[in-house]
Amino acid sequence: MRSEAQIVIDYVLPDRRHAEGRLRAPMPSYTLALLLAQTPATLNGCRVVARVHDEQVRGRYYPRIEQPDILCLTYLTTGAPRAFEISEEARAARSHAGTPIKIVHGGVHATCLPNEALLHCNLVVRGEITPPFHESILGRALAMRPEEKDSVRLEFAPAVIRRPPADWSWMRRKDYILAPTTQTSVGCPFHCDFCSVTQVFGAAMRAVSEEGLRRELELLPRKRVLAIIDDNFLQGIQPRQIEHCMRVAEMLHELGFKWVTEATVRTLIDARERMMRERSGFDLIEFFAKHGCRGLFLGIETIQDGAGGLVKQKGADETLELIRCCHSNGIGILGAFVLGLGSDETPEYAKRLLEFAIDKAKLDFAQFSINTPMPGARNFLTGTRDGTIFNFDWELYDAEHCVMRHPKMSPEQLEETHRWLYEQFYGYRSIGKRYDLMSLGSLSSGIWRRAVVGIPANLILHRTNRSWNDRIDREDPREIVPEPHPAVLRHVSDALGNDPCRPGELFDFRPPKRAAVVQ
């Protein structure tokens, strides 16, 4: 039995696939680390005991055993069914004090579909939080009656993000491939139809304060490559944005970090060209490489000009030139592509895409995704309204399964094409072509730097891909969920009714009205 002067708060990341397997995960949740860092030491005069449970690596979380006073779940769409399951278990359990467990939902899915989340919890927290807001949320949850429900959001997002350093004390380094991670900015101005980032963080790109970032970086180990999980590391092409990004790179270099991050092709090309015009002989890519950058995640998305109406897209030739420049400076490239963006795509398109990735770009790594209407994205709203989404099984919203109809390709064709691309890209012949194994002795130091890391990693991914396919082959087919919950339909109707034309305007920081009790 716990002391009356103690409040137990559990932060849990639900996981749909690994909850039974306890597999090594790619990266630890930065959200969990921030939540722990922002938790107050005391609440209502009681000492707070905060705990973290990542189901990806620790297995299933059991509310009946853990018995927290407040259970906070943060999750993506694929984790939503598991979050709902945990919540129902928590409703039937009791805290250490024998009182009902107060349940709080947050994260991308709950932010985008709060009506659905409210079916399973007391309080939904939409979007990001600040330390004072965090404390008020916990106090509000603790005071709520078991049947009470509410939805809250920051009224105004801070222009400059100030927060304590992420707390990684809960993390076991051996459980993750890249760990720990950091974040230097949030937000994205591009409003891609298939992406929910703008809905969650807004269109205005906002940076973490440089003094706060330095405090966090000083606490992190230098021995391994640091992953920077910004949606756009380079925030834009205005001088203040480029200079901020350069100061961050200088800070990383000064503190001894080698790092990888994500950048938008258009922003990176345009910023590089601007710097070349304004500073004769200055190359932004070379600057990043000299300051520790070892890899970039580039959202190339498609090689069809104009497909999907992507504002951030550049032509294939410009993209290839950018990749070659990165390679010559020893920066590895993970190119990300989305299948099903173009209405005229056929299985033949995949062959051209593979030729681009292997023979022309010689990408170090590639990510192939099926165009998936993620809640919060424009194509989820229109796809639900128009009936092009045929499956609302949230566990399959992983960009590996087809849940939305395509005008030229069947769901089976899209999924087979997706599988074929991975098999071919991470095949032995592809690895040999991309790293030109026959002439490694004559290659530059930049190419060697990529090869030393890239070749072993590609061989591991070759084996991982085969194991993953074997696992998929053993899984039983899942029944299609043809309709979402009525709470989801109400949210879609409200969102489209507010503004049927401009998806960016669906996002704002106005406080939501008090939510009614959902039956």
Side-chain angles (χ1 to χ4, degrees):
M1 193 79 171
R2 70 164 175 86
S3 165
E4 289 302 321
Q6 178 175 287
I7 294 173
V8 178
I9 302 172
D10 280 355
Y11 298 110
V12 178
L13 178 68
D15 185 74
R16 50 126 192 201
R17 287 183 176 171
H18 301 154
E20 300 290 354
R22 300 191 183 187
L23 301 177
R24 198 177 186 207
M27 291 187 293
S29 168
Y30 190 71
T31 298
L32 290 177
L34 283 181
L35 289 172
L36 186 60
Q38 294 184 161
T39 303
T42 61
L43 192 63
N44 293 352
C46 300
R47 183 172 68 91
V48 170
V49 175
R51 306 180 301 197
V52 171
H53 188 106
D54 182 354
E55 283 198 331
Q56 293 182 104
V57 297
R58 294 189 58 189
R60 296 176 72 88
Y61 173 85
Y62 295 99
R64 289 181 182 273
I65 296 175
E66 303 299 338
Q67 298 180 311
D69 294 290
I70 305 175
L71 171 60
C72 301
L73 298 161
T74 178
Y75 51 94
L76 300 174
T77 296
T78 52
R82 176 62 185 148
F84 302 158
E85 180 183 7
I86 294 172
S87 298
E88 297 310 311
E89 293 174 5
R91 279 179 169 179
R94 287 292 184 268
S95 72
H96 284 269
T99 57
I101 297 172
K102 307 303 171 58
I103 306 168
V104 181
H105 282 207
V108 174
H109 189 86
T111 293
C112 296
L113 295 178
N115 294 342
E116 181 188 42
L118 275 173
L119 297 169
H120 306 277
C121 67
N122 300 104
L123 186 63
V124 171
V125 182
R126 304 184 66 197
E128 64 194 282
I129 61 176
T130 61
F133 188 44
H134 190 163
E135 184 170 357
S136 71
I137 289 166
L138 296 175
R140 171 81 178 105
L142 202 61
M144 295 180 83
R145 300 184 302 276
E147 71 279 5
E148 192 175 356
K149 294 178 180 290
D150 201 359
S151 173
V152 295
R153 186 171 204 164
L154 271 177
E155 184 172 0
F156 299 103
V160 177
I161 300 170
R162 303 183 190 280
R163 59 197 182 196
D167 186 342
W168 297 103
S169 59
W170 56 274
M171 182 195 70
R172 296 181 302 187
R173 177 64 187 80
K174 65 180 181 179
D175 289 337
Y176 303 94
I177 297 171
L178 280 175
T181 62
T182 194
Q183 185 182 55
T184 74
S185 67
V186 300
C188 181
F190 290 109
H191 303 292
C192 294
D193 274 2
F194 53 83
C195 181
S196 60
V197 169
T198 304
Q199 171 71 354
V200 177
F201 291 110
M205 302 188 67
R206 295 171 289 115
V208 176
S209 70
E210 292 180 23
E211 61 271 21
L213 179 61
R214 177 177 287 274
R215 285 198 305 271
E216 180 165 297
L217 292 174
E218 288 173 343
L219 298 174
L220 300 180
R222 306 330 195 247
K223 293 182 179 180
R224 296 178 182 272
V225 173
L226 177 67
I228 301 171
I229 59 170
D230 299 13
D231 290 293
N232 293 285
F233 176 68
L234 180 59
Q235 300 175 9
I237 65 170
Q238 298 304 313
R240 61 179 179 82
Q241 295 168 323
I242 300 174
E243 288 167 7
H244 168 80
C245 190
M246 291 170 61
R247 288 196 302 272
V248 170
E250 289 171 339
M251 185 189 305
L252 290 163
H253 181 63
E254 175 194 339
L255 294 173
F257 287 101
K258 307 300 181 188
W259 46 279
V260 296
T261 191
E262 181 174 351
T264 300
V265 171
R266 173 176 288 277
T267 305
L268 193 53
I269 290 175
D270 290 348
R272 182 177 178 233
E273 290 177 349
R274 177 168 191 160
M275 295 301 289
M276 284 181 171
R277 289 194 304 269
E278 296 180 359
R279 298 188 190 181
S280 178
F282 182 88
D283 190 326
L284 191 60
I285 301 300
E286 183 179 337
F287 175 86
F288 285 159
K290 288 182 177 179
H291 288 80
C293 181
R294 293 295 177 265
L296 289 175
F297 179 107
L298 294 181
I300 302 170
E301 319 304 6
T302 179
I303 59 171
Q304 291 185 297
D305 291 340
L310 294 177
V311 177
K312 65 180 182 180
Q313 188 181 12
K314 281 284 190 177
D317 290 342
E318 290 178 283
T319 302
L320 284 172
E321 171 58 28
L322 175 67
I323 294 170
R324 288 168 186 147
C325 178
C326 290
H327 280 171
S328 66
N329 282 282
I331 298 176
I333 298 295
L334 191 164
F337 303 92
V338 180
L339 299 174
L341 278 182
S343 60
D344 58 345
E345 283 183 22
T346 67
E348 289 299 312
Y349 166 73
K351 297 179 180 178
R352 294 192 289 112
L353 180 58
L354 198 67
E355 179 186 7
F356 177 92
I358 296 175
D359 298 313
K360 295 180 179 179
K362 297 186 183 296
L363 295 174
D364 299 88
F365 307 97
Q367 173 183 292
F368 303 102
S369 303
I370 295 174
N371 187 12
T372 303
M374 303 305 295
R378 183 65 182 179
N379 65 357
F380 178 80
L381 299 176
T382 56
T384 303
R385 178 195 64 192
D386 300 339
T388 54
I389 300 176
F390 65 86
N391 194 348
F392 291 87
D393 181 346
W394 297 140
E395 287 197 14
L396 300 186
Y397 278 58
D398 56 3
E400 298 172 3
H401 296 84
C402 182
V403 297
M404 181 172 63
R405 293 183 181 87
H406 187 271
K408 291 289 182 68
M409 300 176 70
S410 69
E412 294 77 16
Q413 283 179 313
L414 272 169
E415 291 181 7
E416 283 300 317
T417 299
H418 174 264
R419 178 168 175 164
W420 178 79
L421 282 167
Y422 269 112
E423 288 174 347
Q424 295 298 312
F425 185 85
Y426 289 107
Y428 292 131
R429 292 182 63 184
S430 167
I431 296 172
K433 282 185 176 182
R434 288 184 282 121
Y435 289 101
D436 201 5
L437 297 183
M438 299 301 293
S439 56
L440 271 180
S442 62
L443 296 182
S444 67
S445 60
I447 306 301
W448 265 105
R449 184 189 297 166
R450 292 173 39 235
V452 166
V453 175
I455 292 175
N458 271 266
L459 293 174
I460 292 172
L461 288 169
H462 172 82
R463 294 195 299 271
T464 301
N465 185 61
R466 293 185 62 179
S467 299
W468 183 257
N469 286 338
D470 290 341
R471 178 177 178 176
I472 295 297
D473 290 340
R474 292 193 301 268
E475 289 183 353
D476 294 328
R478 301 171 64 95
E479 291 188 12
I480 288 177
V481 180
E483 293 286 340
H485 192 278
V488 176
L489 293 176
R490 287 198 301 272
H491 179 84
V492 170
S493 177
D494 290 345
L496 288 171
N498 286 340
D499 189 58
C501 300
R502 293 180 293 175
E505 298 302 317
L506 296 176
F507 178 89
D508 60 54
F509 289 104
R510 291 172 295 178
K513 295 179 181 179
R514 179 65 55 85
V517 175
V518 182
Q519 302 295 329

